[in-house]
C-alpha cells in the first residue's frame, strides 16, 4: 500500500462516507485504485445529524476526506478525486472525463 500513515500508525486519510452513496463510492474506488490506506467513518444518514462531519469539514455533506499527512480537509467527490490524483496518483485520471461525469459532480449528498 502507498504510504499515508500518521504518527500513531493509523492511516493518515480518514474518509467520511455514507453506505451506498454513489459519490462516496467514487472516492472509495480512487482510494482503492491508488492503493491508499484509509479509515472509513460511516456517518448518520440523516443530514441534520452529521455533526461529526460538520465539526471536521464545516459541511454536513459527504464524502469528506481528511489527510493528516498534508493537512487537507476536503468535501465534494470531484474535488477529492482531483486531489487524490494530483497528490498520490501518477497524474493520469482514474476515470474518463465526460459530460456525464460533469453532471454527476453537481450534488454530493
Amino acid at each position: 500500500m502507498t504510504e499515508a500513515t500518521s504518527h500513531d500508525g493509523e492511516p493518515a486519510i480518514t474518509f467520511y462516507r455514507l453506505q451506498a452513496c454513489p459519490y462516496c463510492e467514487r472516492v472509495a474506488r480512487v482510494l482503492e485504485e491508488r492503493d491508499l490506506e484509509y479509515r472509513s467513518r460511516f456517518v448518520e444518514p440523516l443530514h441534520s445529524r452529521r455533526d461529526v462531519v460538520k465539526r471536521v469539514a464545516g459541511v454536513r455533506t459527504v464524502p469528506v476526506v481528511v489527510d493528516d499527512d498534508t493537512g487537507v480537509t476536503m468535501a465534494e467527490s470531484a474535488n477529492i478525486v482531483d486531489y487524490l490524483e494530483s497528490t498520490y496518483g501518477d497524474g493520469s485520471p482514474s476515470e474518463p472525463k465526460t459530460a456525464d461525469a460533469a453532471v454527476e459532480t453537481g450534488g454530493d449528498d
Side-chain angles (χ1 to χ4, degrees), residues 26 95-105:
R26 179 181 183 200
E95 56 189 57
K97 301 278 185 189
T98 64
D100 292 337
V103 170
E104 176 185 326
T105 63

Side-chain angles (χ1 to χ4, degrees):
M1 293 227 158
T2 304
E3 277 304 308
T5 50
S6 63
H7 310 304
D8 59 5
E10 290 290 314
I13 297 173
T14 304
F15 176 30
Y16 294 88
R17 64 199 289 196
L18 276 173
Q19 200 78 21
C21 163
Y23 303 105
C24 299
E25 294 306 316
R26 179 181 183 200
V27 172
R29 185 172 54 248
V30 173
L31 286 163
E32 295 295 326
E33 287 172 354
R34 296 296 173 210
D35 206 22
L36 294 168
E37 292 186 44
Y38 63 94
R39 289 176 286 207
S40 284
R41 297 285 188 246
F42 288 93
V43 300
E44 287 284 334
L46 201 58
H47 197 268
S48 63
R49 292 198 170 168
R50 295 185 197 158
D51 295 333
V52 67
V53 178
K54 178 73 172 169
R55 279 192 304 272
V56 169
V59 296
R60 292 188 195 277
T61 58
V62 290
V64 167
V65 164
V66 177
D67 187 341
D68 292 336
D69 278 351
T70 61
V72 168
T73 299
M74 179 175 290
E76 299 287 334
S77 61
N79 294 340
I80 294 169
V81 167
D82 288 345
Y83 164 76
L84 293 171
E85 295 292 346
S86 65
T87 304
Y88 297 105
D90 57 9
S92 64
S94 63
E95 56 189 57
K97 301 278 185 189
T98 64
D100 292 337
V103 170
E104 176 185 326
T105 63
D108 291 4
D109 188 18

